[in-house]
Amino acid sequence: MAVLKDVWCWYSVLSVSRHLERIADYATNIAEDVIYMIEGQIVSVGIDLSKAVFVRYYMKNHN
């Protein structure tokens, strides 16, 4: 019975990590869409987001 509890615990951890990764993917997609709507340029992972207008504006006004 203890083994089943351990298996269920690890299954839960893996499930949570999978869902967190999916949330991060959604957040990335939303950020890319916002950059496209504001600046009209297509960005993908690996491009320096500090060049984006809204990031510079936020950093300037919130530091």
Side-chain angles (χ1 to χ4, degrees):
M1 193 63 153
V3 174
L4 283 177
K5 281 187 176 182
D6 289 342
V7 169
W8 181 254
C9 180
W10 284 111
Y11 173 77
S12 297
V13 168
L14 289 174
S15 179
V16 167
S17 67
R18 183 172 49 95
H19 291 296
L20 288 175
E21 182 180 7
R22 181 131 183 169
I23 291 169
D25 289 341
Y26 283 137
T28 301
N29 292 341
I30 290 169
E32 290 173 356
D33 289 345
V34 168
I35 292 170
Y36 179 75
M37 289 189 305
I38 291 174
E39 296 190 354
Q41 66 178 344
I42 298 173
V43 296
S44 62
V45 176
I47 293 178
D48 185 14
L49 292 180
S50 65
K51 295 178 183 177
V53 171
F54 71 92
V55 172
R56 287 194 307 252
Y57 175 81
Y58 181 84
M59 296 302 288
K60 184 173 100 174
N61 293 319
H62 291 90
N63 281 335

